[in-house]
């Protein structure tokens, strides 16, 4: 943590050591969970010794959309935010895999939880990060007894910090019960997503993931995997998935910036498919891993290089 505190972050309009990036205890965002955030990765390519940010403009576009839902008025454009992220890699002289946590938070000291006419502020911190979930082996997952918050409770389409109390409850429940990750059902009882990942199943070579109205975050990795699958000639369906459909799927996997493409070996103690990584998951995972390091000829523009030389 000591090294982490020395890293350069962006806070209150300036680049400064993380140890100097603090907020007051009365801050609206701390009291009411009124912060919207992103999670973005930069990948180090050993061959070129460059770092590639993965879809930074799409990440900042989503932050702007989350901010709009939460009645925030960011002063930086999507392009300016992306430039700050690139600059942070340079200032920290990263030549490794890096994770970014950009966010806009209601920064006023206020007693009332209302959203309108409350000032906000934009910050980013970064850290070195390799895998978030252990993807070398299949995950053992369980459906949580906690239901996903829905669009008329706290919109999951907005990546708002307050909504992550829901993720925290589910994640701790299943981890304390001995599993690796949680699956949420939505308020109707259909499969929604993981605590911080979207979910896919494969049945008879068709790739299936819930629609944007199943109380999910509209994941950038999910959109990437759908586009990769289509490019590979794999049929993709977006529709409701029932809980028991997970048990009989040929393959199940999670996607997310942190999780990347993480395959699931077991759901609620039922082995999925053969119990090893499935062929569709394996194919998509391999292509994703190459893509994020700038090595895909079709989707090259999604990996944005930091260093010019
Ligand atoms: N769902 C939730 C609840 C998440 O927190 C995340 C991680 N950001 C995802 C899905 C995956 O989204 P993305 O692929 O954009 O990281």
């Amino acid at each position: 943590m000591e090294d982490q505190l020395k890293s350069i972050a962006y806070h209150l309009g300036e680049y400064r050591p993380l140890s100097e990036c603090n907020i007051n205890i009365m801050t609206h965002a701390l009291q009411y969970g009124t912060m919207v955030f992103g999670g973005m990765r930069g990948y180090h390519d050993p061959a070129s010794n460059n770092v590639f940010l993965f879809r930074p403009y799409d990440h900042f576009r989503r932050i702007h959309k989350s901010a709009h839902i939460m009645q925030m008025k960011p002063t930086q454009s999507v392009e300016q935010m992306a430039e700050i992220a690139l600059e942070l890699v340079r200032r920290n002289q990263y030549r490794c895999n890096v994770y970014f946590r950009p966010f806009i938070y209601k920064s006023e000291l206020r007693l009332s939880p209302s959203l309108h006419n409350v000032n906000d502020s934009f910050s980013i911190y970064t850290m070195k990060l390799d895998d978030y979930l252990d993807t070398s082996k299949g995950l053992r997952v369980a459906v949580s007894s906690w239901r996903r918050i829905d669009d008329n409770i706290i919109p999951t389409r907005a990546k708002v910090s307050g909504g992550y109390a829901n993720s925290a409850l589910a994640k701790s429940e299943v981890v304390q019960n001995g599993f690796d990750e949680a699956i949420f059902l939505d308020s109707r009882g259909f499969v929604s997503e993981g605590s911080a990942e979207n979910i896919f199943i494969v049945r008879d070579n068709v790739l299936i993931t819930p629609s944007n109205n199943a109380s999910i975050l509209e994941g950038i990795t999910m959109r990437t995997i759908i586009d990769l699958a289509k490019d590979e000639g794999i049929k993709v369906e977006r529709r409701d998935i029932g809980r028991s459909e997970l048990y009989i799927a040929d393959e199940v996997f999670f996607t997310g910036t942190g999780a990347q493409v993480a395959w699931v070996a077991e759901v609620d103690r039922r082995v999925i498919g053969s119990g090893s990584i499935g062929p569709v998951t394996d194919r998509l995972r391999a292509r994703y891993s190459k893509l994020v390091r700038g090595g895909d000829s079709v989707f090259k523009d999604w990996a944005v290089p930091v260093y010019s030389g």
Side-chain angles (χ1 to χ4, degrees):
M1 195 43 80
E2 217 154 277
D3 272 2
Q4 179 64 36
L5 286 171
K6 285 190 199 137
S7 69
I8 303 299
Y10 181 86
H11 185 57
L12 300 176
E14 281 177 32
Y15 296 95
R16 31 175 131 218
L18 185 64
S19 57
E20 293 173 18
C21 300
N22 301 307
I23 64 162
N24 188 283
I25 58 171
M26 255 187 88
T27 305
H28 194 283
L30 176 66
Q31 296 295 329
Y32 303 113
T34 49
M35 176 271 249
V36 298
F37 67 109
M40 188 173 80
R41 272 186 188 266
Y43 286 90
H44 179 238
D45 171 44
S48 58
N49 199 24
N50 210 336
V51 175
F52 291 87
L53 267 54
F54 188 58
R55 302 187 73 168
Y57 303 101
D58 292 312
H59 275 281
F60 289 113
R61 246 172 244 134
R62 185 173 68 191
I63 289 180
H64 268 252
K65 290 197 169 99
S66 295
H68 183 64
I69 291 173
M70 296 303 284
Q71 299 198 8
M72 295 171 168
K73 295 187 176 63
T75 50
Q76 285 98 340
S77 66
V78 165
E79 289 70 26
Q80 285 167 330
M81 289 180 174
E83 184 43 47
I84 293 167
L86 288 160
E87 181 61 16
L88 281 171
V89 179
R90 293 184 209 113
R91 292 204 182 214
N92 285 294
Q93 298 176 17
Y94 286 132
R95 299 272 181 177
C96 58
N97 294 331
V98 38
Y99 181 80
F100 299 80
R101 174 52 60 83
F103 57 98
I104 306 170
Y105 67 104
K106 297 273 187 192
S107 52
E108 266 186 54
L109 312 186
R110 279 278 191 103
L111 202 57
S112 146
S114 56
L115 290 178
H116 60 286
N117 299 333
V118 184
N119 291 337
D120 48 73
S121 183
F122 172 66
S123 302
I124 312 187
Y125 66 83
T126 64
M127 63 176 71
K128 294 177 183 173
L129 184 75
D130 292 319
D131 285 345
Y132 166 74
L133 293 174
D134 181 0
T135 49
S136 60
K137 59 176 182 54
L139 300 171
R140 293 181 59 250
V141 308
V143 172
S144 170
S145 68
W146 296 94
R147 286 291 171 98
R148 191 74 176 123
I149 43 178
D150 82 10
D151 210 34
N152 296 298
I153 297 176
I154 301 175
T156 53
R157 228 182 292 279
K159 198 167 159 61
V160 50
S161 58
Y164 279 74
N166 184 226
S167 290
L169 288 164
K171 176 92 184 186
S172 276
E173 177 192 38
V174 304
V175 170
Q176 287 172 335
N177 285 337
F179 298 93
D180 300 314
E181 186 51 276
I183 294 174
F184 275 118
L185 304 181
D186 67 15
S187 56
R188 303 165 307 156
F190 288 104
V191 173
S192 173
E193 60 178 348
S195 71
E197 306 85 15
N198 292 110
I199 191 165
F200 284 85
I201 65 170
V202 178
R203 292 192 69 185
D204 299 326
N205 294 313
V206 178
L207 187 62
I208 307 162
T209 195
S211 84
N212 285 351
N213 289 319
S215 298
I216 63 165
L217 178 74
E218 298 180 7
I220 289 164
T221 321
M222 172 191 82
R223 282 159 49 195
T224 303
I225 289 297
I226 290 173
D227 287 347
L228 284 184
K230 287 182 178 164
D231 192 64
E232 295 271 324
I234 298 166
K235 191 167 172 235
V236 180
E237 279 180 14
R238 299 207 59 189
R239 62 158 173 84
D240 291 332
I241 297 173
R243 176 180 188 160
S244 61
E245 202 179 358
L246 296 171
Y247 305 160
I248 60 163
D250 304 323
E251 303 177 35
V252 176
F253 63 90
F254 286 123
T255 62
T257 298
Q260 306 172 94
V261 177
W263 69 280
V264 171
E266 245 183 77
V267 179
D268 292 344
R269 301 181 197 276
R270 274 85 167 173
V271 173
I272 303 304
S274 63
S276 50
I277 188 165
V280 174
T281 311
D282 202 28
R283 206 159 122 205
L284 293 170
R285 185 173 78 156
R287 186 147 174 214
Y288 180 78
S289 165
K290 209 168 145 204
L291 163 68
V292 294
R293 291 168 180 83
D296 194 287
S297 52
V298 182
F299 300 106
K300 203 170 177 48
D301 291 351
W302 285 344
V304 178
V306 174
Y307 301 107
S308 49

